[in-house]
Amino acid sequence: MSQTAPAAPKAVEGSLNFLDDRLGSTNFFKRNARKAFPDHWSFMLGEIALYSFVILLLTGTFLTLWFKPSMHEVIYEGSYTKLNGVKMSEAYASALHISFDVRGGLLMRQIHHWAAVLFMAAIMAHMLRVFFTGAYRKPRELNWLIGIVLFTLGMVEGLFGYSLPDDLLSGTGLRITQGVLEAVPLVGTYGYMFLFGGEFPEGNHGDLIPRLFTLHVLLIPGVILALVTAHMMIMWHQKHTAMPSRNQSEKQVYGYPFYPVFMAKTGAFFMFTFGVTALLSTVTQINPIWLYGPYDPGAISAGSQPDFYMGVLEGALRIMPNWEITAWGHTLSLNVLIPATLPLGIVFGGAAAWPFLERWVTGDNRSHHVVERPRNAPVRTGVGVAAVTFYGLLWLAGANDVLADKFHVELFKTTWFFRVAIFAGPILAYIVTKRICLGLQRRDAAVIDHGVESGIIVMSPEGKFSERHVPVREEEKAVILSKENAKPEAPAVDGSGIPAPGTKGPMGFLRSRLNRGWTLDDIPVEDRGHHGEHHEVEEGERAGAEQKELSR
């Protein structure tokens, strides 16, 4: 795929020559300095995730210098006098020391936590943008799968991170983690012992916090860094996707060169991201561990909530009925196993399989470098909104006690509401979203056929009023006509009655039915050259229309 961009600026020629004399790399740097980057605000979502990760690494390094990953009991004697004389782990005491005694320690703790929240939110928003625009299609399926793994690792990393201070709130989350691990048949107990190093809460020799610390600061960040690097390298090699536009095509990329335009923009955007994170950390409190106190297995905070990205698991646990199966002396806790595996299995498993399922159903094996407008893929958009609805309802269900308290509704009723809504909500969201997409397609077809309203009302010799339409602008026309109209399904048999390849057997029948559902109700959008038409105004609107024309 070729690129259109100016030659490398003279300002960098000296630096390139310096590197070439020593590394012989001028051609490489010149070629990549001219790389074109499409200009659209939605592409910045991935950059927010990248810059949040950089902030996490920087602030995490600072916190590591003072944090003590130990469950050895000490008596606290620090600046926070309300906990003086209280027994606590060294981990909790060092977290209090960072917050109250290390210069800038509390600010760094809060920047680290807000950056983690922003990192997960940015990945989620970036993945939604990729899904709804079809940017995951060939040849970018691998990068899509990397994104799903990154989000999953981010959830685990966040869980281990806010569990390190060993406060009451994080201990509650670890208690849930223990229950989830033990609910997994056969291997659950081994996983539980591997993580905790013994019985809850601290293991045999206080191994829990040191193991979480190693996973949180070494293993998982290393894997995330490797995946982010792979993600960027693949994106750089495959080129960035582009939004539909007048000059854009599958073989031509229009945009700004990497140097100096994109480099200046992305550098400024990093500073904006850091500034917003620092501002949030300065004026908005997050995770005040000193208010919760050290972890006590016999206590729990009222209205305790995890970070938003873990809310889906919390909600699934809260609305799940108390189902258990006992056989041959063993109990299978479905009330924990199903909420821990099924919701995220549906969302993440479905997301991972979707690019390949869509390609199989549609038979589209082409490479795509220009994304689709969500309205032009109503089935995909409907499924995406249904998944968002499913995820969002579970997230809200994780706060059912808070909702019941604030809205003065019985907790039992809120629980049953979410039990019903978790099934009905996604179905309703799919139907409504698909109808909206088809309505927008009809509007686009009308704009291409009849132009856009000019606001000028004219009267015919017969006394009929109509509004004059003018052709749509070329830029908008190119965007609208970027829609690929659905192609009719190939006949199941040819003229000799021989079944077509791919239509045989149950899988062929299923594929045919899914393909029909994918293309059902598609609205053709074509340029037929019908522009500047007059549209009659209803009788009841004539008086106002006549007055409008007279005022002109």
Side-chain angles (χ1 to χ4, degrees):
M1 185 167 54
S2 62
Q3 304 178 39
T4 299
K10 292 182 179 180
V12 299
E13 289 293 339
S15 300
L16 294 178
N17 291 334
F18 176 86
L19 293 173
D20 185 54
D21 291 341
R22 290 152 182 83
L23 304 175
S25 55
T26 294
N27 289 334
F28 172 81
F29 283 105
K30 282 185 176 179
R31 183 174 65 254
N32 286 280
R34 295 194 303 267
K35 176 179 171 61
F37 277 79
D39 185 38
H40 194 271
W41 66 267
S42 63
F43 297 138
M44 296 293 183
L45 296 172
E47 294 183 41
I48 296 176
L50 175 63
Y51 298 145
S52 300
F53 182 63
V54 173
I55 295 171
L56 281 170
L57 293 178
L58 296 175
T59 55
T61 302
F62 176 90
L63 296 175
T64 303
L65 300 177
W66 282 277
F67 183 73
K68 297 179 180 179
S70 170
M71 299 195 75
H72 176 70
E73 276 197 348
V74 297
I75 303 296
Y76 179 72
E77 297 293 340
S79 299
Y80 190 68
T81 56
K82 292 184 178 181
L83 288 177
N84 277 343
V86 177
K87 283 186 178 182
M88 59 184 65
S89 65
E90 274 194 304
Y92 187 61
S94 65
L96 292 176
H97 176 71
I98 292 172
S99 301
F100 295 105
D101 298 306
V102 175
R103 186 180 297 274
L106 180 58
L107 178 62
M108 285 295 180
R109 269 197 64 239
Q110 299 221 136
I111 290 178
H112 191 73
H113 204 128
W114 274 116
V117 173
L118 186 60
F119 175 69
M120 296 299 294
I123 290 182
M124 184 180 293
H126 179 58
M127 292 182 66
L128 288 175
R129 196 275 300 179
V130 170
F131 181 84
F132 284 118
T133 60
Y136 54 79
R137 294 176 295 174
K138 183 182 177 181
R140 295 175 176 83
E141 301 96 332
L142 182 59
N143 250 356
W144 172 250
L145 296 178
I146 289 176
I148 295 173
V149 175
L150 281 172
F151 189 83
T152 306
L153 287 175
M155 293 181 66
V156 178
E157 176 77 343
L159 171 65
F160 290 169
Y162 65 66
S163 299
L164 285 177
D166 196 30
D167 60 287
L168 181 58
L169 183 62
S170 67
T172 304
L174 284 174
R175 170 66 83 179
I176 296 174
T177 303
Q178 175 215 6
V180 168
L181 288 174
E182 289 192 309
V184 178
L186 301 178
V187 299
T189 304
Y190 294 99
Y192 162 52
M193 289 298 176
F194 175 78
L195 179 63
F196 285 80
E199 294 295 333
F200 183 85
E202 61 182 34
N204 294 332
H205 305 286
D207 291 337
L208 175 59
I209 295 299
R211 293 186 180 189
L212 291 181
F213 183 76
T214 302
L215 292 171
H216 180 72
V217 306
L218 182 62
L219 180 60
I220 299 180
V223 176
I224 292 177
L225 182 60
L227 289 175
V228 168
T229 303
H231 187 83
M232 298 297 295
M233 292 177 65
I234 293 172
M235 184 274 294
W236 194 279
H237 171 70
Q238 293 177 341
K239 313 298 187 294
H240 215 303
T241 55
M243 291 292 180
S245 64
R246 182 178 179 180
N247 297 320
Q248 191 68 55
S249 69
E250 294 288 357
K251 297 182 179 180
Q252 190 82 15
V253 173
Y254 281 81
Y256 294 106
F258 175 72
Y259 185 92
V261 179
F262 182 78
M263 185 177 289
K265 289 175 62 177
T266 196
F269 201 62
F270 170 75
M271 301 307 296
F272 292 153
T273 304
F274 185 82
V276 169
T277 309
L279 180 64
L280 279 172
S281 306
T282 303
V283 302
T284 308
Q285 181 173 264
I286 189 170
N287 197 25
I289 58 171
W290 52 89
L291 298 181
Y292 309 137
Y295 180 64
D296 178 2
I300 187 172
S301 300
S304 58
Q305 301 293 316
D307 283 337
F308 84 95
Y309 47 87
M310 299 296 294
V312 59
L313 295 176
E314 179 83 7
L317 283 168
R318 292 193 181 200
I319 66 175
M320 180 68 190
N322 188 26
W323 292 353
E324 291 184 346
I325 297 177
T326 302
W328 299 290
H330 297 278
T331 299
L332 186 61
S333 300
L334 298 179
N335 53 348
V336 178
L337 181 62
I338 290 178
T341 58
L342 190 59
L344 289 185
I346 292 174
V347 175
F348 291 162
W354 184 264
F356 309 98
L357 177 64
E358 180 180 321
R359 191 172 63 183
W360 178 66
V361 170
T362 61
D364 184 5
N365 292 310
R366 299 169 298 165
S367 293
H368 294 274
H369 303 292
V370 179
V371 299
E372 281 188 300
R373 304 169 80 198
R375 68 182 66 181
N376 294 335
V379 173
R380 177 202 302 146
T381 304
V383 169
V385 174
V388 171
T389 303
F390 178 77
Y391 193 99
L393 285 170
L394 285 177
W395 175 71
L396 284 173
N400 64 343
D401 55 338
V402 178
L403 294 174
D405 176 61
K406 299 300 181 182
F407 292 96
H408 307 289
V409 181
E410 295 179 15
L411 181 62
F412 182 77
K413 292 181 179 178
T414 62
T415 302
W416 270 103
F417 168 79
F418 285 113
R419 286 177 178 175
V420 175
I422 203 63
F423 295 101
I427 296 174
L428 182 62
Y430 173 83
I431 295 173
V432 172
T433 302
K434 185 177 180 181
R435 303 318 301 177
I436 291 175
C437 289
L438 293 174
L440 292 173
Q441 287 185 21
R442 291 189 182 92
R443 177 183 177 276
D444 287 343
V447 167
I448 293 297
D449 284 343
H450 309 298
V452 296
E453 299 172 352
S454 65
I456 300 175
I457 307 299
V458 297
M459 185 176 68
S460 69
E462 294 81 13
K464 293 184 178 180
F465 289 92
S466 61
E467 184 172 12
R468 181 178 299 164
H469 282 215
V470 296
V472 66
R473 292 184 299 108
E474 289 299 320
E475 180 65 30
E476 185 178 353
K477 180 179 178 181
V479 173
I480 294 175
L481 291 178
S482 67
K483 177 185 182 297
E484 295 185 7
N485 296 323
K487 299 178 181 178
E489 185 181 6
V493 295
D494 61 14
S496 302
I498 300 176
T503 62
K504 300 178 182 179
M507 295 303 294
F509 177 80
L510 176 62
R511 180 180 179 275
S512 177
R513 287 288 182 263
L514 290 175
N515 182 271
R516 188 175 305 174
W518 186 274
T519 59
L520 186 67
D521 298 330
D522 182 74
I523 310 299
V525 180
E526 299 172 340
D527 186 7
R528 302 184 181 92
H530 301 158
H531 304 299
E533 297 182 357
H534 294 175
H535 289 258
E536 293 186 9
V537 181
E538 295 296 331
E539 192 71 28
E541 300 173 0
R542 286 189 178 181
E546 185 177 13
Q547 182 64 34
K548 182 178 181 181
E549 176 63 14
L550 292 174
S551 65
R552 291 178 179 275

